[in-house]
Amino acid sequence: MHLQTSFNGSGATQNSAAFPRHIGLLTGLVTLELSFVKGAIPAEISNLHRLGQLKLHSCIITSIPAELFTIQTLTTLAINHCGMCGPIPCGILSLANIKVLSLARNKFTGLIPRDLGNLKALENLDLSNNELSGSITFLHWFLREPTAFEFESQQTSRRTPQ
């Protein structure tokens, strides 16, 4: 089962719909794509034991529950342009099967977690348009081929060939 929806075509504003509170009841969900929602991702999302792809775009996400990082079927996590700030959530490091991790166009700050290189299945990483710092050279040692990653900031820009 796949669910793709956009609640408001005008962008993530005060008129955006709240994140669906009963999303955890859709236990057969494989793909969830939401745009223009706001609020905290409900902890009940951990009930989606078949979820392979979670894509959030142009949302106002106030928090990500630790329960999200217990979904071991998750291969794609894209939280783009959602106003997330602070450090990259350390729970991401427990997503052993993640192949695509995109956290672009947020306001993440701090160091890029060096342990991202331990995500053995990771093939594509996009951290562009955040306020992150630190070395990314360690990623070459851990990422499988073919790989791509994108990291841009005001001072650093680096992209691998695709």
Side-chain angles (χ1 to χ4, degrees), residues 16 18 85 110:
S16 298
C85 58

Side-chain angles (χ1 to χ4, degrees), residues 1 27-32 45 48-54 68 71-76:
M1 179 187 320
T27 56
L29 207 56
V30 175
T31 301
L32 176 59
I45 199 163
L48 306 180
H49 299 292
R50 295 181 183 166
L51 189 64
Q53 297 185 18
L54 176 60
L68 173 66
I71 304 173
Q72 291 304 307
T73 54
L74 204 57
T75 59
T76 298

Side-chain angles (χ1 to χ4, degrees), residues 9 20 26 29 35 42 47 50 67 71 74 77 89 110 113 119 135 145 150-152 158:
L26 301 174
L29 207 56
S35 298
N47 294 336
R50 295 181 183 166
E67 291 84 356
I71 304 173
L74 204 57
L77 178 61
L119 296 173
S135 173
E145 293 184 46
E150 186 171 335
F151 172 76
E152 296 178 13
R158 179 151 184 190

Side-chain angles (χ1 to χ4, degrees), residues 30-104:
V30 175
T31 301
L32 176 59
E33 293 186 47
L34 295 174
S35 298
F36 311 114
V37 296
K38 66 179 178 180
I41 298 173
E44 292 79 11
I45 199 163
S46 66
N47 294 336
L48 306 180
H49 299 292
R50 295 181 183 166
L51 189 64
Q53 297 185 18
L54 176 60
K55 299 177 182 179
L56 305 175
H57 186 270
S58 298
C59 300
I60 301 173
I61 302 299
T62 55
S63 67
I64 300 174
E67 291 84 356
L68 173 66
F69 306 119
T70 65
I71 304 173
Q72 291 304 307
T73 54
L74 204 57
T75 59
T76 298
L77 178 61
I79 302 176
N80 298 314
H81 201 258
C82 290
M84 296 297 304
C85 58
I88 292 176
C90 62
I92 286 175
L93 302 173
S94 66
L95 295 173
N97 296 311
I98 201 78
K99 292 181 179 181
V100 177
L101 178 59
S102 182
L103 303 174

